[in-house]
Amino acid sequence: LCCQCGVPIPPNPANMCVGCLRAQVDITEGIPKQGTVHFCKQCERYLQPPGTWIQCALESRELLALCLKKIKASLSKVRLIDAGFIWTEPHSKRLKLKLTVQKEVINGAVLQQVFVVEYVVQSQMCEDCHRIEAKDFWKAVVQVRQKTVHKKTFYYLEQLILKHRLHQNTLRIKEIHDGLDFYYSSKQHAQKMVDFLQCTVPSRSKSSQRLISHDIHSNVYNYKSTFSVEIVPICKDNVVCLSPKLAQSLGNMGQICVCIRVTSTIHLIDPRTLQIAEIDGNTYWRHPFNSLFHPKQLEEFIIMDINRVHDKKKGAGAGARSNKHTLAEAWVRKTSELDTDHQYFCCTHLGHILNPGDLVLGFDLANCNLNDEFANKMNPQHIPDVVLIKKSYDRCRRQRRRNWKLKELERDREGTDTDDERQYQDFLEDLEEDETIRKNVNIYRNADIPVESDTDDDGAPRISLAEMLEDLHISEDATGGEGAEMLT
């Protein structure tokens, strides 16, 4: 019989029933039934004392371990058998833990008890988010500059940064008239960005640091570092004039060349011989050259007659030729001079896409003043009258049927104008025309624009559906999909 209430029971060392034993002894005494956890709303992380912030989904193992650590000292006198979450409303700011503990009580009897610990979720901004919100607290800045009128290289660089997720550690991105500024909380993140830029675009960099504070007792210095990255001032579709020494070292190329793309190197082609060459950043800074024209100076020509050349002989010591282009001789006339009989003769590398009657954009070298040190010293007979750059298509029609889109970096802009929009459309057209650049860019399908039929196709290059990615929008329940099924 129980020594307290006289109820018949199986024998046990305490000679008490379970009810009387619980009334005499509380094994959960000293274990707190309430607590607090700190949560950052911006980055959705929980504070693990003393100063670590960790990412946890609701009802996950990580969050359970975080809550148990807060009462770890109190649980040292009992044996923890089981722990799990009791479901609470995700927006209630409450976490409830159901714990099962055992403890040896009077005369060696083991008592098991289940109880609930409730945690209140308090909002607290972590240090990283605090720095981002302050916008002025930065330890390092990367200043990327390119002294050109067109921003094609920056648009390409933006897509590379998005693809490789290099923007995740930035506190702030600021756009100014000739470049971008990337702000970082540590010098290591800034150095990683500089290394990435030097691998993806031809550039050179310089660094400096400024002393902010110095603790003479602990010998701790606080610096702000600045990295300056200068990208070569050459963009796609620029006409350049090489120095005689550089042209000779590239396999006796012609000095007047067209830049067909800028990746980690500058890709040049000689429109009269189809000879191609690649110039990296180091070679450019040893033998610098400039663009002869701005993109705004492009003029529209119409093809009067064109003759493809297949048996062009290589010169002595000539380098490699392009297999993607076709050499052709063309007679062209400016669309602004159609009422005259004035025609121009030129050699072009676009023979594979041009036909009589096509419109093409190019530069008029015969009626311009070239202010370039290398071009002024050239023999006038070696300077072509016209350099054709690219075929002209109906821009409005291309925009209407463009069923794809790109992502953009979130950045502070000084102000956009119509010229920036025109340059961005130029970059999108370059992606459609150049498969090599397209491989390095994530292109997403735009479901808002229907796919048009090919009956009104004017031959403009388009991006196939196979090259597009689906733009995923994953919306999970606030309870989280990671740890919801682990614990019951």
Side-chain angles (χ1 to χ4, degrees):
L1 301 177
C2 173
C3 64
Q4 293 288 333
C5 61
V7 174
I9 59 170
N12 63 55
N15 290 328
M16 289 188 194
C17 64
V18 175
C20 295
L21 194 58
R22 284 181 177 167
Q24 294 285 330
V25 181
D26 182 14
I27 65 173
T28 65
E29 186 179 2
I31 301 176
K33 304 300 188 295
Q34 287 187 337
T36 58
V37 292
H38 297 283
F39 176 72
C40 178
K41 290 182 179 179
Q42 272 77 6
C43 59
E44 299 183 350
R45 293 187 298 175
Y46 292 88
L47 173 63
Q48 180 175 315
T52 307
W53 292 84
I54 58 175
Q55 195 91 28
C56 300
L58 285 176
E59 299 191 7
S60 64
R61 292 181 178 180
E62 293 81 5
L63 187 57
L64 180 64
L66 177 69
C67 295
L68 290 176
K69 281 183 180 179
K70 289 187 172 290
I71 57 173
K72 184 177 180 181
S74 306
L75 292 174
S76 59
K77 297 179 182 179
V78 297
R79 183 184 178 192
L80 182 63
I81 299 299
D82 188 26
F85 283 102
I86 299 176
W87 187 87
T88 56
E89 178 67 32
H91 306 289
S92 65
K93 299 289 184 183
R94 297 291 186 274
L95 298 174
K96 290 185 178 181
L97 257 64
K98 181 180 179 181
L99 304 180
T100 304
V101 294
Q102 284 183 352
K103 186 179 180 181
E104 186 177 326
V105 290
I106 305 170
N107 296 329
V110 178
L111 187 62
Q112 180 171 309
Q113 192 168 339
V114 179
F115 65 102
V116 176
V117 180
E118 181 178 308
Y119 290 92
V120 179
V121 181
Q122 293 185 351
S123 298
Q124 178 179 331
M125 189 178 289
C126 65
E127 291 183 3
D128 295 336
C129 294
H130 191 76
R131 291 170 182 167
I132 295 173
E133 287 297 316
K135 290 187 178 179
D136 291 327
F137 192 92
W138 51 271
K139 290 289 186 68
V141 59
V142 179
Q143 299 174 339
V144 187
R145 300 289 183 268
Q146 186 183 29
K147 298 175 181 177
T148 56
V149 177
H150 209 289
K151 298 180 180 179
K152 282 184 180 180
T153 308
F154 276 108
Y155 291 131
Y156 172 66
L157 194 59
E158 177 185 23
Q159 297 304 317
L160 288 179
I161 291 173
L162 284 168
K163 182 173 183 176
H164 296 280
R165 299 180 179 273
L166 261 294
H167 62 292
Q168 290 183 331
N169 297 321
T170 55
L171 301 178
R172 178 189 180 199
I173 302 175
K174 183 179 179 182
E175 180 179 343
I176 58 175
H177 66 282
D178 60 347
L180 294 170
D181 288 348
F182 297 87
Y183 293 90
Y184 294 92
S185 58
S186 70
K187 186 178 179 180
Q188 288 76 15
H189 291 153
Q191 185 64 56
K192 183 179 179 181
M193 184 65 172
V194 173
D195 295 340
F196 173 77
L197 292 174
Q198 290 181 333
C199 293
T200 52
V201 289
S203 59
R204 62 179 175 181
S205 64
K206 293 186 292 186
S207 62
S208 63
Q209 56 186 13
R210 180 164 57 97
L211 181 63
I212 303 301
S213 61
H214 172 214
D215 187 352
I216 59 174
H217 300 290
S218 59
N219 204 27
V220 173
Y221 293 84
N222 183 18
Y223 288 103
K224 278 192 174 183
S225 303
T226 301
F227 295 88
S228 175
V229 180
E230 184 182 357
I231 303 175
V232 296
I234 304 297
C235 290
K236 184 181 184 297
D237 297 337
N238 282 165
V239 176
V240 299
C241 182
L242 307 179
S243 65
K245 185 177 180 181
L246 178 60
Q248 185 179 8
S249 66
L250 295 175
N252 289 329
M253 282 187 74
Q255 288 183 247
I256 303 293
C257 297
V258 177
C259 177
I260 52 177
R261 76 177 65 90
V262 177
T263 54
S264 56
T265 56
I266 303 172
H267 297 255
L268 300 177
I269 186 169
D270 185 351
R272 295 189 297 177
T273 61
L274 293 189
Q275 190 172 331
I276 55 175
E278 296 183 13
I279 299 177
D280 57 7
N282 294 331
T283 305
Y284 176 84
W285 298 117
R286 284 199 304 268
H287 306 282
F289 51 87
N290 297 316
S291 174
L292 299 180
F293 298 95
H294 297 309
K296 294 180 182 178
Q297 296 173 283
L298 277 170
E299 296 186 67
E300 193 174 54
F301 296 85
I302 185 169
I303 303 293
M304 306 304 294
D305 189 19
I306 189 166
N307 180 29
R308 291 168 179 79
V309 180
H310 298 287
D311 53 353
K312 182 77 172 179
K313 293 183 179 180
K314 275 190 175 184
R321 286 186 180 181
S322 173
N323 296 324
K324 296 182 179 180
H325 299 85
T326 302
L327 186 62
E329 296 175 345
W331 286 94
V332 297
R333 181 185 295 179
K334 286 185 184 180
T335 54
S336 59
E337 299 178 352
L338 289 179
D339 54 343
T340 66
D341 294 334
H342 193 188
Q343 294 188 12
Y344 301 90
F345 175 78
C346 64
C347 292
T348 178
H349 59 290
L350 303 175
H352 56 297
I353 58 174
L354 294 182
N355 295 298
D358 285 345
L359 296 177
V360 62
L361 298 176
F363 294 109
D364 181 7
L365 279 73
N367 302 314
C368 70
N369 292 324
L370 293 178
N371 187 15
D372 185 84
E373 59 172 328
F374 303 128
N376 294 337
K377 296 177 183 178
M378 285 182 64
N379 186 344
Q381 296 180 353
H382 295 161
I383 299 179
D385 292 341
V386 172
V387 177
L388 301 182
I389 300 298
K390 59 181 178 179
K391 189 175 178 179
S392 178
Y393 300 98
D394 186 354
R395 170 167 284 187
C396 295
R397 181 181 294 179
R398 292 182 76 169
Q399 289 184 13
R400 278 198 311 269
R401 69 183 187 188
R402 186 171 288 142
N403 58 341
W404 53 274
K405 59 184 178 180
L406 301 176
K407 291 188 176 180
E408 295 186 14
L409 289 173
E410 294 183 5
R411 55 188 184 269
D412 301 337
R413 300 176 185 266
E414 287 187 346
T416 57
D417 52 14
T418 55
D419 190 46
D420 289 346
E421 180 63 27
R422 182 186 62 82
Q423 293 182 17
Y424 189 66
Q425 293 299 327
D426 287 344
F427 172 69
L428 297 182
E429 291 174 5
D430 290 343
L431 283 181
E432 291 175 336
E433 296 168 6
D434 196 340
E435 183 182 354
T436 306
I437 296 180
R438 215 158 53 221
K439 291 178 181 177
N440 301 327
V441 175
N442 283 345
I443 298 172
Y444 297 92
R445 185 179 177 186
N446 191 358
D448 299 335
I449 300 178
V451 180
E452 288 189 1
S453 62
D454 294 335
T455 54
D456 59 343
D457 194 1
D458 59 350
R462 302 175 68 173
I463 297 179
S464 63
L465 288 174
E467 297 180 74
M468 301 180 195
L469 302 173
E470 291 290 343
D471 195 4
L472 297 179
H473 297 284
I474 301 175
S475 58
E476 294 183 356
D477 193 293
T479 54
E482 182 181 350
E485 298 180 0
M486 293 183 180
L487 303 166
T488 58

